[in-house]
Amino acid sequence: MKRFSFNQATAKGWPLPDLAAGCVAEGVTAVGLWREDVQAYGVQRAAGLMRDSGLAVTSLCRGGFFQQPGWFDENRRAIDEAATLGAPVLVLVSGGLPADSRDLDAARAHIGAALGELVPYALAGGVQLAVEALHPMFCSDRCVVSTLEQALDLAAPYPPEAVGVVVDTYHLWWDDDVWAQIGRAGRERRIACFQAADWLTPLPAGVLLGRGLPGTGCVELRRFREAVDAAGYTGPVEVEVFNEELWGRPGRDILAETITRYRTHVA
């Protein structure tokens, strides 16, 4: 449990003060937060709540969406919010194709250039940008970065302390090259965040909410955790699940089951 981090998205709708109190009651010491919820509560207020509760913020999600107008200022705001919260990592969902474009190469090149523009600001704020690869089914609208190799290639021109990658089991479990790329990420000191969620079949309509708690799907979760450990990663293990049925349950029940399944299937 020393490495366990409860991602706020797993209990979407659980008020932040209740989430903090629930984590303290269960002996959880770390959480991953989402910008929309933090902004609604107030960034400074949320930072104070985390400090007063003794909770470390392991990541803030999300920055990115580099295909949208105003991406530069929006990502600078995200970096500021992460720094205020004491989150060492800002997770980047890089965005899909620009409107009326089919040029994947250009979209990925733009992400690489965008990272370069943000790196000085991130370094000054003490926040590591973490490029997350999403499953290819999200390529058109959410993220043109589909493999860990692509994420590592985008990070490569920049210092590891400025740009790393996210290893998310839900998005990467299908890729038979992922084990070699996790090894590469370790050698390059790029693993900024490790997130665990299972893959449910059949996927729900809209596919976004097809994640499951550990042990409810088909992903070799412990193999992933052992792989990142072998690559030298010693940081938090976040459980991050988007599931509408799960969200209908009380937050304390979600947290309790998440802890049990983390211990059984990930740790």
PDB file of all heavy atoms in Angstrom, residues 235-262:
ATOM      1  N   GLY A 235       7.985   4.527  -8.316  1.00  0.00           N
ATOM      2  CA  GLY A 235       6.990   5.517  -7.947  1.00  0.00           C
ATOM      3  C   GLY A 235       5.608   4.952  -7.691  1.00  0.00           C
ATOM      4  O   GLY A 235       5.419   3.742  -7.571  1.00  0.00           O
ATOM      5  N   PRO A 236       4.627   5.855  -7.611  1.00  0.00           N
ATOM      6  CA  PRO A 236       3.263   5.453  -7.272  1.00  0.00           C
ATOM      7  C   PRO A 236       2.632   4.556  -8.337  1.00  0.00           C
ATOM      8  O   PRO A 236       2.992   4.602  -9.518  1.00  0.00           O
ATOM      9  CB  PRO A 236       2.511   6.787  -7.185  1.00  0.00           C
ATOM     10  CG  PRO A 236       3.569   7.836  -7.074  1.00  0.00           C
ATOM     11  CD  PRO A 236       4.769   7.308  -7.780  1.00  0.00           C
ATOM     12  N   VAL A 237       1.678   3.766  -7.890  1.00  0.00           N
ATOM     13  CA  VAL A 237       0.847   2.955  -8.779  1.00  0.00           C
ATOM     14  C   VAL A 237      -0.579   3.484  -8.641  1.00  0.00           C
ATOM     15  O   VAL A 237      -1.242   3.247  -7.629  1.00  0.00           O
ATOM     16  CB  VAL A 237       0.907   1.460  -8.417  1.00  0.00           C
ATOM     17  CG1 VAL A 237       0.044   0.645  -9.377  1.00  0.00           C
ATOM     18  CG2 VAL A 237       2.350   0.961  -8.434  1.00  0.00           C
ATOM     19  N   GLU A 238      -1.023   4.225  -9.647  1.00  0.00           N
ATOM     20  CA  GLU A 238      -2.366   4.799  -9.617  1.00  0.00           C
ATOM     21  C   GLU A 238      -3.365   3.819 -10.215  1.00  0.00           C
ATOM     22  O   GLU A 238      -3.121   3.252 -11.278  1.00  0.00           O
ATOM     23  CB  GLU A 238      -2.428   6.095 -10.434  1.00  0.00           C
ATOM     24  CG  GLU A 238      -1.733   7.274  -9.826  1.00  0.00           C
ATOM     25  CD  GLU A 238      -2.019   8.559 -10.596  1.00  0.00           C
ATOM     26  OE1 GLU A 238      -2.947   8.560 -11.451  1.00  0.00           O
ATOM     27  OE2 GLU A 238      -1.315   9.555 -10.369  1.00  0.00           O
ATOM     28  N   VAL A 239      -4.488   3.643  -9.555  1.00  0.00           N
ATOM     29  CA  VAL A 239      -5.613   2.932 -10.158  1.00  0.00           C
ATOM     30  C   VAL A 239      -6.588   3.985 -10.676  1.00  0.00           C
ATOM     31  O   VAL A 239      -7.118   4.791  -9.895  1.00  0.00           O
ATOM     32  CB  VAL A 239      -6.296   1.980  -9.168  1.00  0.00           C
ATOM     33  CG1 VAL A 239      -7.498   1.300  -9.832  1.00  0.00           C
ATOM     34  CG2 VAL A 239      -5.306   0.926  -8.675  1.00  0.00           C
ATOM     35  N   GLU A 240      -6.774   3.981 -11.990  1.00  0.00           N
ATOM     36  CA  GLU A 240      -7.607   4.992 -12.653  1.00  0.00           C
ATOM     37  C   GLU A 240      -8.625   4.273 -13.538  1.00  0.00           C
ATOM     38  O   GLU A 240      -8.271   3.656 -14.539  1.00  0.00           O
ATOM     39  CB  GLU A 240      -6.736   5.920 -13.508  1.00  0.00           C
ATOM     40  CG  GLU A 240      -7.535   7.007 -14.203  1.00  0.00           C
ATOM     41  CD  GLU A 240      -6.713   7.721 -15.260  1.00  0.00           C
ATOM     42  OE1 GLU A 240      -6.196   7.042 -16.181  1.00  0.00           O
ATOM     43  OE2 GLU A 240      -6.599   8.960 -15.183  1.00  0.00           O
ATOM     44  N   VAL A 241      -9.887   4.358 -13.156  1.00  0.00           N
ATOM     45  CA  VAL A 241     -10.945   3.620 -13.841  1.00  0.00           C
ATOM     46  C   VAL A 241     -12.079   4.566 -14.213  1.00  0.00           C
ATOM     47  O   VAL A 241     -12.568   5.320 -13.352  1.00  0.00           O
ATOM     48  CB  VAL A 241     -11.490   2.483 -12.946  1.00  0.00           C
ATOM     49  CG1 VAL A 241     -12.668   1.782 -13.599  1.00  0.00           C
ATOM     50  CG2 VAL A 241     -10.378   1.484 -12.639  1.00  0.00           C
ATOM     51  N   PHE A 242     -12.502   4.522 -15.480  1.00  0.00           N
ATOM     52  CA  PHE A 242     -13.691   5.246 -15.931  1.00  0.00           C
ATOM     53  C   PHE A 242     -14.773   4.200 -16.192  1.00  0.00           C
ATOM     54  O   PHE A 242     -14.675   3.427 -17.148  1.00  0.00           O
ATOM     55  CB  PHE A 242     -13.448   6.021 -17.218  1.00  0.00           C
ATOM     56  CG  PHE A 242     -12.220   6.887 -17.230  1.00  0.00           C
ATOM     57  CD1 PHE A 242     -11.545   7.120 -18.408  1.00  0.00           C
ATOM     58  CD2 PHE A 242     -11.740   7.470 -16.077  1.00  0.00           C
ATOM     59  CE1 PHE A 242     -10.418   7.914 -18.446  1.00  0.00           C
ATOM     60  CE2 PHE A 242     -10.603   8.261 -16.093  1.00  0.00           C
ATOM     61  CZ  PHE A 242      -9.941   8.488 -17.281  1.00  0.00           C
ATOM     62  N   ASN A 243     -15.794   4.192 -15.360  1.00  0.00           N
ATOM     63  CA  ASN A 243     -16.830   3.177 -15.498  1.00  0.00           C
ATOM     64  C   ASN A 243     -18.123   3.710 -14.897  1.00  0.00           C
ATOM     65  O   ASN A 243     -18.197   3.971 -13.690  1.00  0.00           O
ATOM     66  CB  ASN A 243     -16.385   1.889 -14.792  1.00  0.00           C
ATOM     67  CG  ASN A 243     -17.352   0.758 -14.982  1.00  0.00           C
ATOM     68  OD1 ASN A 243     -18.456   0.773 -14.457  1.00  0.00           O
ATOM     69  ND2 ASN A 243     -16.928  -0.256 -15.724  1.00  0.00           N
ATOM     70  N   GLU A 244     -19.136   3.864 -15.731  1.00  0.00           N
ATOM     71  CA  GLU A 244     -20.371   4.509 -15.289  1.00  0.00           C
ATOM     72  C   GLU A 244     -21.082   3.706 -14.205  1.00  0.00           C
ATOM     73  O   GLU A 244     -21.614   4.277 -13.247  1.00  0.00           O
ATOM     74  CB  GLU A 244     -21.303   4.719 -16.482  1.00  0.00           C
ATOM     75  CG  GLU A 244     -22.441   5.667 -16.210  1.00  0.00           C
ATOM     76  CD  GLU A 244     -23.128   6.141 -17.467  1.00  0.00           C
ATOM     77  OE1 GLU A 244     -22.928   5.519 -18.527  1.00  0.00           O
ATOM     78  OE2 GLU A 244     -23.872   7.137 -17.389  1.00  0.00           O
ATOM     79  N   GLU A 245     -21.081   2.392 -14.321  1.00  0.00           N
ATOM     80  CA  GLU A 245     -21.722   1.568 -13.298  1.00  0.00           C
ATOM     81  C   GLU A 245     -21.003   1.719 -11.957  1.00  0.00           C
ATOM     82  O   GLU A 245     -21.636   1.829 -10.902  1.00  0.00           O
ATOM     83  CB  GLU A 245     -21.717   0.102 -13.740  1.00  0.00           C
ATOM     84  CG  GLU A 245     -22.418  -0.830 -12.765  1.00  0.00           C
ATOM     85  CD  GLU A 245     -22.442  -2.269 -13.244  1.00  0.00           C
ATOM     86  OE1 GLU A 245     -22.134  -2.523 -14.421  1.00  0.00           O
ATOM     87  OE2 GLU A 245     -22.766  -3.152 -12.412  1.00  0.00           O
ATOM     88  N   LEU A 246     -19.690   1.737 -12.011  1.00  0.00           N
ATOM     89  CA  LEU A 246     -18.902   1.925 -10.791  1.00  0.00           C
ATOM     90  C   LEU A 246     -19.214   3.269 -10.154  1.00  0.00           C
ATOM     91  O   LEU A 246     -19.355   3.372  -8.927  1.00  0.00           O
ATOM     92  CB  LEU A 246     -17.415   1.817 -11.133  1.00  0.00           C
ATOM     93  CG  LEU A 246     -16.417   1.855  -9.975  1.00  0.00           C
ATOM     94  CD1 LEU A 246     -16.559   0.621  -9.094  1.00  0.00           C
ATOM     95  CD2 LEU A 246     -14.996   1.976 -10.506  1.00  0.00           C
ATOM     96  N   TRP A 247     -19.327   4.310 -10.961  1.00  0.00           N
ATOM     97  CA  TRP A 247     -19.574   5.651 -10.450  1.00  0.00           C
ATOM     98  C   TRP A 247     -20.914   5.784  -9.737  1.00  0.00           C
ATOM     99  O   TRP A 247     -21.123   6.738  -8.979  1.00  0.00           O
ATOM    100  CB  TRP A 247     -19.497   6.668 -11.583  1.00  0.00           C
ATOM    101  CG  TRP A 247     -18.129   6.836 -12.151  1.00  0.00           C
ATOM    102  CD1 TRP A 247     -16.948   6.508 -11.567  1.00  0.00           C
ATOM    103  CD2 TRP A 247     -17.796   7.368 -13.434  1.00  0.00           C
ATOM    104  NE1 TRP A 247     -15.894   6.809 -12.397  1.00  0.00           N
ATOM    105  CE2 TRP A 247     -16.380   7.334 -13.544  1.00  0.00           C
ATOM    106  CE3 TRP A 247     -18.541   7.876 -14.496  1.00  0.00           C
ATOM    107  CZ2 TRP A 247     -15.709   7.789 -14.680  1.00  0.00           C
ATOM    108  CZ3 TRP A 247     -17.882   8.327 -15.627  1.00  0.00           C
ATOM    109  CH2 TRP A 247     -16.479   8.281 -15.716  1.00  0.00           C
ATOM    110  N   GLY A 248     -21.823   4.847  -9.971  1.00  0.00           N
ATOM    111  CA  GLY A 248     -23.115   4.896  -9.295  1.00  0.00           C
ATOM    112  C   GLY A 248     -23.079   4.409  -7.860  1.00  0.00           C
ATOM    113  O   GLY A 248     -24.079   4.516  -7.142  1.00  0.00           O
ATOM    114  N   ARG A 249     -21.929   3.899  -7.428  1.00  0.00           N
ATOM    115  CA  ARG A 249     -21.793   3.377  -6.068  1.00  0.00           C
ATOM    116  C   ARG A 249     -21.225   4.443  -5.131  1.00  0.00           C
ATOM    117  O   ARG A 249     -20.595   5.409  -5.577  1.00  0.00           O
ATOM    118  CB  ARG A 249     -20.876   2.156  -6.084  1.00  0.00           C
ATOM    119  CG  ARG A 249     -21.449   0.981  -6.874  1.00  0.00           C
ATOM    120  CD  ARG A 249     -20.407  -0.089  -7.122  1.00  0.00           C
ATOM    121  NE  ARG A 249     -19.728  -0.507  -5.900  1.00  0.00           N
ATOM    122  CZ  ARG A 249     -18.672  -1.324  -5.871  1.00  0.00           C
ATOM    123  NH1 ARG A 249     -18.163  -1.785  -7.003  1.00  0.00           N
ATOM    124  NH2 ARG A 249     -18.125  -1.658  -4.721  1.00  0.00           N
ATOM    125  N   PRO A 250     -21.409   4.298  -3.821  1.00  0.00           N
ATOM    126  CA  PRO A 250     -20.815   5.249  -2.873  1.00  0.00           C
ATOM    127  C   PRO A 250     -19.289   5.255  -2.984  1.00  0.00           C
ATOM    128  O   PRO A 250     -18.657   4.205  -3.179  1.00  0.00           O
ATOM    129  CB  PRO A 250     -21.266   4.718  -1.509  1.00  0.00           C
ATOM    130  CG  PRO A 250     -22.484   3.898  -1.791  1.00  0.00           C
ATOM    131  CD  PRO A 250     -22.252   3.287  -3.141  1.00  0.00           C
ATOM    132  N   GLY A 251     -18.698   6.425  -2.819  1.00  0.00           N
ATOM    133  CA  GLY A 251     -17.259   6.565  -2.954  1.00  0.00           C
ATOM    134  C   GLY A 251     -16.470   5.662  -2.031  1.00  0.00           C
ATOM    135  O   GLY A 251     -15.456   5.076  -2.425  1.00  0.00           O
ATOM    136  N   ARG A 252     -16.912   5.528  -0.782  1.00  0.00           N
ATOM    137  CA  ARG A 252     -16.174   4.691   0.172  1.00  0.00           C
ATOM    138  C   ARG A 252     -16.174   3.229  -0.268  1.00  0.00           C
ATOM    139  O   ARG A 252     -15.190   2.521  -0.066  1.00  0.00           O
ATOM    140  CB  ARG A 252     -16.775   4.829   1.573  1.00  0.00           C
ATOM    141  CG  ARG A 252     -16.411   6.138   2.261  1.00  0.00           C
ATOM    142  CD  ARG A 252     -16.928   6.171   3.693  1.00  0.00           C
ATOM    143  NE  ARG A 252     -16.563   7.413   4.361  1.00  0.00           N
ATOM    144  CZ  ARG A 252     -15.439   7.613   5.035  1.00  0.00           C
ATOM    145  NH1 ARG A 252     -14.553   6.636   5.108  1.00  0.00           N
ATOM    146  NH2 ARG A 252     -15.187   8.766   5.608  1.00  0.00           N
ATOM    147  N   ASP A 253     -17.290   2.775  -0.866  1.00  0.00           N
ATOM    148  CA  ASP A 253     -17.342   1.399  -1.352  1.00  0.00           C
ATOM    149  C   ASP A 253     -16.392   1.200  -2.531  1.00  0.00           C
ATOM    150  O   ASP A 253     -15.720   0.163  -2.637  1.00  0.00           O
ATOM    151  CB  ASP A 253     -18.765   1.039  -1.779  1.00  0.00           C
ATOM    152  CG  ASP A 253     -19.730   0.957  -0.604  1.00  0.00           C
ATOM    153  OD1 ASP A 253     -19.263   1.031   0.552  1.00  0.00           O
ATOM    154  OD2 ASP A 253     -20.941   0.826  -0.855  1.00  0.00           O
ATOM    155  N   ILE A 254     -16.342   2.193  -3.425  1.00  0.00           N
ATOM    156  CA  ILE A 254     -15.432   2.113  -4.574  1.00  0.00           C
ATOM    157  C   ILE A 254     -13.989   2.035  -4.093  1.00  0.00           C
ATOM    158  O   ILE A 254     -13.206   1.200  -4.552  1.00  0.00           O
ATOM    159  CB  ILE A 254     -15.620   3.329  -5.504  1.00  0.00           C
ATOM    160  CG1 ILE A 254     -17.033   3.364  -6.083  1.00  0.00           C
ATOM    161  CG2 ILE A 254     -14.576   3.305  -6.629  1.00  0.00           C
ATOM    162  CD1 ILE A 254     -17.352   4.650  -6.833  1.00  0.00           C
ATOM    163  N   LEU A 255     -13.650   2.905  -3.156  1.00  0.00           N
ATOM    164  CA  LEU A 255     -12.276   2.926  -2.641  1.00  0.00           C
ATOM    165  C   LEU A 255     -11.917   1.596  -1.986  1.00  0.00           C
ATOM    166  O   LEU A 255     -10.835   1.046  -2.225  1.00  0.00           O
ATOM    167  CB  LEU A 255     -12.104   4.074  -1.653  1.00  0.00           C
ATOM    168  CG  LEU A 255     -10.745   4.168  -0.952  1.00  0.00           C
ATOM    169  CD1 LEU A 255      -9.619   4.346  -1.961  1.00  0.00           C
ATOM    170  CD2 LEU A 255     -10.745   5.322   0.052  1.00  0.00           C
ATOM    171  N   ALA A 256     -12.810   1.064  -1.175  1.00  0.00           N
ATOM    172  CA  ALA A 256     -12.522  -0.187  -0.477  1.00  0.00           C
ATOM    173  C   ALA A 256     -12.293  -1.330  -1.463  1.00  0.00           C
ATOM    174  O   ALA A 256     -11.349  -2.123  -1.301  1.00  0.00           O
ATOM    175  CB  ALA A 256     -13.667  -0.523   0.475  1.00  0.00           C
ATOM    176  N   GLU A 257     -13.139  -1.429  -2.493  1.00  0.00           N
ATOM    177  CA  GLU A 257     -12.950  -2.505  -3.464  1.00  0.00           C
ATOM    178  C   GLU A 257     -11.694  -2.278  -4.291  1.00  0.00           C
ATOM    179  O   GLU A 257     -10.987  -3.226  -4.636  1.00  0.00           O
ATOM    180  CB  GLU A 257     -14.160  -2.643  -4.383  1.00  0.00           C
ATOM    181  CG  GLU A 257     -14.003  -3.836  -5.328  1.00  0.00           C
ATOM    182  CD  GLU A 257     -15.220  -4.126  -6.178  1.00  0.00           C
ATOM    183  OE1 GLU A 257     -16.276  -3.513  -5.979  1.00  0.00           O
ATOM    184  OE2 GLU A 257     -15.086  -4.988  -7.079  1.00  0.00           O
ATOM    185  N   THR A 258     -11.408  -1.018  -4.610  1.00  0.00           N
ATOM    186  CA  THR A 258     -10.193  -0.712  -5.373  1.00  0.00           C
ATOM    187  C   THR A 258      -8.957  -1.182  -4.610  1.00  0.00           C
ATOM    188  O   THR A 258      -8.041  -1.781  -5.186  1.00  0.00           O
ATOM    189  CB  THR A 258     -10.099   0.794  -5.658  1.00  0.00           C
ATOM    190  OG1 THR A 258     -11.249   1.213  -6.396  1.00  0.00           O
ATOM    191  CG2 THR A 258      -8.851   1.114  -6.465  1.00  0.00           C
ATOM    192  N   ILE A 259      -8.913  -0.914  -3.320  1.00  0.00           N
ATOM    193  CA  ILE A 259      -7.776  -1.335  -2.497  1.00  0.00           C
ATOM    194  C   ILE A 259      -7.649  -2.852  -2.506  1.00  0.00           C
ATOM    195  O   ILE A 259      -6.548  -3.401  -2.695  1.00  0.00           O
ATOM    196  CB  ILE A 259      -7.929  -0.803  -1.063  1.00  0.00           C
ATOM    197  CG1 ILE A 259      -7.783   0.716  -1.038  1.00  0.00           C
ATOM    198  CG2 ILE A 259      -6.905  -1.450  -0.138  1.00  0.00           C
ATOM    199  CD1 ILE A 259      -8.180   1.352   0.279  1.00  0.00           C
ATOM    200  N   THR A 260      -8.751  -3.547  -2.309  1.00  0.00           N
ATOM    201  CA  THR A 260      -8.728  -5.012  -2.284  1.00  0.00           C
ATOM    202  C   THR A 260      -8.224  -5.570  -3.610  1.00  0.00           C
ATOM    203  O   THR A 260      -7.380  -6.481  -3.647  1.00  0.00           O
ATOM    204  CB  THR A 260     -10.127  -5.563  -1.976  1.00  0.00           C
ATOM    205  OG1 THR A 260     -10.532  -5.113  -0.679  1.00  0.00           O
ATOM    206  CG2 THR A 260     -10.133  -7.081  -2.014  1.00  0.00           C
ATOM    207  N   ARG A 261      -8.731  -5.037  -4.700  1.00  0.00           N
ATOM    208  CA  ARG A 261      -8.350  -5.558  -6.015  1.00  0.00           C
ATOM    209  C   ARG A 261      -6.915  -5.158  -6.377  1.00  0.00           C
ATOM    210  O   ARG A 261      -6.208  -5.911  -7.049  1.00  0.00           O
ATOM    211  CB  ARG A 261      -9.341  -5.071  -7.074  1.00  0.00           C
ATOM    212  CG  ARG A 261     -10.693  -5.751  -6.940  1.00  0.00           C
ATOM    213  CD  ARG A 261     -11.635  -5.415  -8.086  1.00  0.00           C
ATOM    214  NE  ARG A 261     -12.820  -6.250  -8.055  1.00  0.00           N
ATOM    215  CZ  ARG A 261     -12.891  -7.465  -8.571  1.00  0.00           C
ATOM    216  NH1 ARG A 261     -11.829  -8.002  -9.165  1.00  0.00           N
ATOM    217  NH2 ARG A 261     -14.006  -8.155  -8.500  1.00  0.00           N
ATOM    218  N   TYR A 262      -6.494  -3.999  -5.921  1.00  0.00           N
ATOM    219  CA  TYR A 262      -5.095  -3.610  -6.121  1.00  0.00           C
ATOM    220  C   TYR A 262      -4.166  -4.601  -5.427  1.00  0.00           C
ATOM    221  O   TYR A 262      -3.178  -5.072  -6.009  1.00  0.00           O
ATOM    222  CB  TYR A 262      -4.865  -2.200  -5.589  1.00  0.00           C
ATOM    223  CG  TYR A 262      -3.414  -1.820  -5.431  1.00  0.00           C
ATOM    224  CD1 TYR A 262      -2.668  -1.372  -6.514  1.00  0.00           C
ATOM    225  CD2 TYR A 262      -2.791  -1.906  -4.176  1.00  0.00           C
ATOM    226  CE1 TYR A 262      -1.327  -1.037  -6.352  1.00  0.00           C
ATOM    227  CE2 TYR A 262      -1.467  -1.561  -4.020  1.00  0.00           C
ATOM    228  CZ  TYR A 262      -0.729  -1.127  -5.113  1.00  0.00           C
ATOM    229  OH  TYR A 262       0.578  -0.798  -4.953  1.00  0.00           O
TER     230      TYR A 262
END
